[in-house]
């Protein structure tokens, strides 16, 4: 495993890096960013994963997420992966739409042609990248948390619900809580997994909870002025299944906030503190 | 005066807006951003001006500056203007260089053809935009501070030194302290003002202090890993003239920090707090 360094910048009493590596899972070069607060030689710090939303790369949250001050204060490593494989030969949406294909991997292992070879973001994040992080950074992999935004909130919730022992803390910003129940999800999961909706349940936070998956607790922030609230995000579905199954959930409806990084950055320090207290 | 609203987003307990207006000084449409923390009806808040560096618009600091949390906490309005006139008919550097013309107005009133008509950023910031801010936002214009980065640090220092009664507080991030003494400054001031270097002194912080201008005090942060430190920024010139003239200066050399927004954002909250304590 060779890690390439794209850039490192000193910031907020730590090092913000951007790195590339050759992924066996996706068959592509993958780029991700890592912030490491200053620490003692040999010391290991807990790791907070942040999964990004549609159209994003690692760069959006790295530039606009305002997580570094809080991560330095709480001494947390922050890892931001890309949202899909990219590069020559990686198939995209036939019409280049923003909500499928490049930038829209939906954190699945695709089974449909022509996506099955490269679109393996689930395996990439559940198996391959954690190993890269553990080998290359001063990361205490016994203390991991995960969060994400929109499609990345969906990714964070489903990865955590399938791997509850790996994460001590889980949160999300404006997550897609049920791809089975919204147009973004129906389009993406049809394309990546085919029409059998039973196969989708492994990639649907509400279905996973309904089927018995559970977490210690869960924090979700959702803006009330989010354009996608009613059609795509539907936090009421998560609230209902959590209530039915006794899953602890803190759902905070944030008055007037939208779907942008102006919203995410406003509550990022809260989320970092919430994870730090649990990791 | 008509103000156009490009966007408003709720963020950090306030409103981040981007606005346009038709500037008589520059003869162009000008875009700027304003963050207004939540406040009581009729209440007026102090105003912190932030002038950006070469190649930037209002957008760089608005997206990457990490000022909103601190401005909301200290209840400070944050105004980020553009760095030059823009639009059809506005002359640019003959070869499209990044350090002259569009995005590189150097906060002067140009006297040389063909720049004299549009490149009036000094008058825009000293006369026109403050009036727009006073009329359109809940701004207490008796409580103003100013800061900026690189070329914008030069702008902040020189505008403050020429107008000490207007500002209660002045700071800068990695400022160009003496355009008379660096390649960026020599190129820009020759182009905008002509070859008579006496005419440049009004746009040189070190020369203004040497000629008797004074401020209550001054905070400057400068990264030691800044690529432009020795050739262009030269904080030692500011340190020397402040020492010679008894000008109070806090110059903080920040170990390992570079010239980017990773540096600026790391110390932005410090600067906002420093201004808030004085405004």
């Amino acid at each position: 495993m060779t890690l390439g360094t794209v850039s490192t910048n000193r910031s907020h009493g730590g090092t913000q890096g951007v790195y590339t590596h050759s992924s066996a899972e996706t068959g592509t070069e993958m780029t991700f960013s890592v912030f490491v607060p200053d620490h003692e030689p040999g010391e290991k710090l807990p790791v907070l994963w942040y999964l990004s939303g549609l159209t994003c790369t690692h760069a959006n949250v790295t530039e606009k997420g305002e997580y570094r001050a809080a991560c330095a204060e709480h001494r947390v490593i922050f890892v931001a992966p890309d949202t899909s494989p990219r590069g020559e030969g990686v198939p995209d949406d036939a019409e280049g739409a923003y909500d499928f294909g490049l930038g829209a991997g939906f954190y699945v292992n695709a089974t449909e042609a022509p996506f099955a070879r490269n679109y393996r973001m689930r395996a990439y994040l559940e198996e391959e990248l954690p190993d890269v992080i553990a080998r290359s950074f001063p990361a205490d992999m016994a203390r991991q948390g995960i969060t994400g935004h929109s499609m990345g909130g969906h990714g964070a919730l489903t990865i955590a619900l399938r791997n509850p022992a790996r994460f001590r803390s889980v949160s999300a910003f404006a997550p897609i809580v049920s791809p089975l129940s919204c147009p973004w999800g129906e389009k993406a999961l049809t394309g990546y997994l085919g029409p059998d909706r039973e196969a989708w349940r492994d990639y649907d936070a509400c279905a996973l909870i309904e089927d018995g998956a559970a977490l210690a607790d869960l924090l979700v922030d959702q803006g009330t002025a989010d354009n996608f609230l009613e059609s795509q995000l539907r936090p009421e579905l998560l609230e209902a299944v959590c209530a039915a199954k006794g899953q602890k959930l803190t759902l905070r409806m944030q008055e007037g906030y939208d779907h942008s990084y102006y919203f995410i950055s406003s509550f990022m320090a809260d989320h970092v503190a919430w994870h730090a207290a649990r990791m």
Side-chain angles (χ1 to χ4, degrees), chain A:
Chain A
M1 183 206 78
T2 310
L3 199 66
T5 299
V6 177
S7 61
T8 59
N9 297 81
R10 185 147 181 79
S11 194
H12 285 287
T15 301
Q16 178 63 62
V18 178
Y19 307 94
T20 60
H21 69 122
S22 178
S23 166
E25 289 294 350
T26 67
T28 64
E29 280 286 308
M30 293 292 286
T31 304
F32 60 93
S33 82
V34 181
F35 177 71
V36 181
D38 289 352
H39 55 281
E40 299 298 318
E43 191 186 5
K44 300 211 163 196
L45 305 181
V47 178
L48 178 57
W49 296 80
Y50 176 92
L51 305 187
S52 294
L54 288 167
T55 76
C56 290
T57 68
H58 70 282
N60 306 67
V61 71
T62 304
E63 294 176 356
K64 303 180 191 176
E66 301 190 19
Y67 55 80
R68 282 176 287 272
C71 286
E73 179 189 345
H74 296 288
R75 300 168 51 71
V76 169
I77 291 173
F78 190 97
V79 180
D82 203 347
T83 52
S84 79
R86 299 177 194 272
E88 250 184 275
V90 175
D92 193 8
D93 182 84
E95 286 155 15
Y98 77 98
D99 56 0
F100 186 75
L102 299 182
F106 269 83
Y107 305 102
V108 304
N109 288 345
T111 52
E112 293 291 292
F115 303 102
R117 169 64 198 98
N118 303 115
Y119 285 78
R120 294 183 53 75
M121 292 300 290
R122 173 182 175 169
Y124 177 67
L125 290 169
E126 289 186 352
E127 296 160 35
E128 188 174 31
L129 191 56
D131 189 51
V132 173
I133 298 298
R135 287 165 186 248
S136 311
F137 298 92
D140 180 356
M141 302 305 279
R143 291 186 289 159
Q144 294 182 65
I146 190 166
T147 186
H149 172 234
S150 195
M151 177 183 75
H154 144 74
L157 295 179
T158 55
I159 290 172
L161 286 162
R162 289 192 307 261
N163 303 277
R166 176 175 157 197
F167 299 102
R168 295 193 179 185
S169 52
V170 186
S171 75
F173 301 85
I176 301 171
V177 304
S178 179
L180 277 157
S181 315
C182 71
W184 278 341
E186 294 191 0
K187 175 177 179 180
L189 297 190
T190 302
Y192 293 130
L193 303 176
D196 175 9
R197 296 171 70 97
E198 271 307 302
W200 301 8
R201 295 183 70 81
D202 227 19
Y203 297 106
D204 185 296
C206 290
L208 286 163
I209 295 169
E210 201 173 286
D211 294 347
L215 301 167
D217 58 3
L218 179 54
L219 170 65
V220 173
D221 274 314
Q222 171 63 59
T224 64
D226 187 322
N227 284 336
F228 304 112
L229 176 56
E230 291 176 20
S231 59
Q232 306 278 11
L233 305 173
R234 306 186 66 188
E236 70 281 3
L237 299 178
L238 181 66
E239 203 168 29
V241 73
C242 285
K245 305 295 278 190
Q247 170 64 54
K248 194 170 163 191
L249 166 69
T250 303
L251 171 61
R252 308 192 302 191
M253 299 301 291
Q254 301 289 3
E255 187 66 30
Y257 286 84
D258 61 23
H259 200 63
S260 71
Y261 273 90
Y262 292 113
F263 156 66
I264 300 167
S265 63
S266 298
F267 301 102
M268 181 62 86
D270 277 9
H271 283 240
V272 172
W274 193 87
H275 285 271
R278 285 158 179 79
M279 292 194 298

